[in-house]
Amino acid sequence: MIGVDPQFIVNGAIIGSTIALAAIGLTLLFGVLDFINFAHGEYLTVGAYSAFVVNATLGLPVWAAAVLAVPITAVFALAIDRAVFYPLRRQGAGGLALLITSVGLSIVLRNVIEAIWSSDTRSYAFESGATLNILGIKITMVQILIIVVSVVLMIAIHLLLTQTVLGISMRATASNRSLAMSSGVDAERVVKWTWVIGAGLTAIAGVLIGLNTVLRPSMGFSLLLVMFAAVILGGIGDPYGAMLGGLAIGFTQEISVVFVSASYKPAVAFIIMVLLLLWRPEGLRGGTA
């Protein structure tokens, strides 16, 4: 019997937690606006590069750069919504029209990012710290921080959705927009905050990925399909399912290298997703997929 190296499990937790953060924003947006935003990956890239500019150009520490990247990316996402998606919604455009628009927007944003920063890889100016060896498992302090920050933010999202008026309004709007509006919920306010929260989480995910690897203009796009897999696996529109789906995809990708080449990791993740959906079409948590 082939044993699974605990190192792969730790690696899966690191990758899966960042995927989960980005997937939460994607699925929240679908729940409220009923469309999949193909430009979501570029928001991740914008967040990562915003932190890079603050860190490398202005000389602020990475933690301060990450904090500033959240409002920068949130304002960027709101501006895109006001300029592109909001006019389409006012004209009664459906989810398909919004989706196709987001595909075009993704291409434009990716090329703009590459035109500004070129296709060269970039890195944050920070000290990764010593590599710890815990029971044969190698992990850096930065990687521990990635897991901790991701878990804290996922707990924060849970508290937001269950303990605040905004969170309850978001869940009500996602469940039944017309009923929520008739009950006094300001749907456009909910939409704005969904963009802010989703973009903020995605920005942090981009920074964490950049800390663990490098920055490149295509980093968000290359993770987009993996984020989709996490969202679909967890049950589209379900933020808790996105958390589970992201972690499941991360673990699956890393553990798969025991059996196949690392170059097949994305394919393996999708195979597992398809097999699970054949068994449970509603997703891991039984929501609507």
Side-chain angles (χ1 to χ4, degrees), residues 241-281:
M243 297 178 195
L244 291 175
L247 291 171
I249 291 294
F251 285 125
T252 301
Q253 283 189 327
E254 294 304 315
I255 294 174
S256 69
V257 301
V258 176
F259 310 99
V260 297
S261 168
S263 61
Y264 292 111
K265 285 196 294 185
V268 170
F270 276 91
I271 290 172
I272 296 298
M273 179 194 73
V274 170
L275 291 176
L276 181 62
L277 290 180
L278 287 174
W279 172 52
R280 287 178 64 85

Side-chain angles (χ1 to χ4, degrees), residues 78-142:
L78 281 174
I80 292 294
D81 178 57
R82 293 294 99 178
V84 179
F85 297 119
Y86 179 66
L88 290 174
R89 293 200 304 272
R90 288 193 61 182
Q91 295 174 15
L96 180 60
L98 293 171
L99 183 148
I100 294 173
T101 301
S102 72
V103 172
L105 179 63
S106 170
I107 296 170
V108 171
L109 291 177
R110 191 161 63 255
N111 281 276
V112 169
I113 292 169
E114 186 167 347
I116 295 173
W117 284 289
S118 80
S119 58
D120 296 337
T121 59
R122 312 271 179 164
S123 298
Y124 295 117
F126 77 104
E127 294 291 335
S128 60
T131 299
L132 305 178
N133 192 318
I134 305 173
L135 300 177
I137 300 172
K138 295 181 179 180
I139 187 169
T140 66
M141 292 302 297
V142 168

Side-chain angles (χ1 to χ4, degrees), residues 6 12 32 35 37 53 56 69 77 91 125 132 145 177 183 208 246 248 252 265:
V32 171
F35 93 100
N37 180 20
V53 170
Q91 295 174 15
L132 305 178
L145 181 65
R177 187 185 182 95
S183 301
L208 296 178
T252 301
K265 285 196 294 185

Side-chain angles (χ1 to χ4, degrees), residues 134-174:
I134 305 173
L135 300 177
I137 300 172
K138 295 181 179 180
I139 187 169
T140 66
M141 292 302 297
V142 168
Q143 291 173 330
I144 293 174
L145 181 65
I146 289 171
I147 296 174
V148 171
V149 169
S150 298
V151 171
V152 168
L153 287 176
M154 283 189 267
I155 293 173
I157 287 297
H158 165 69
L159 294 176
L160 170 73
L161 293 174
T162 58
Q163 304 298 322
T164 68
V165 174
L166 174 62
I168 293 171
S169 298
M170 290 172 66
R171 292 165 58 197
T173 304

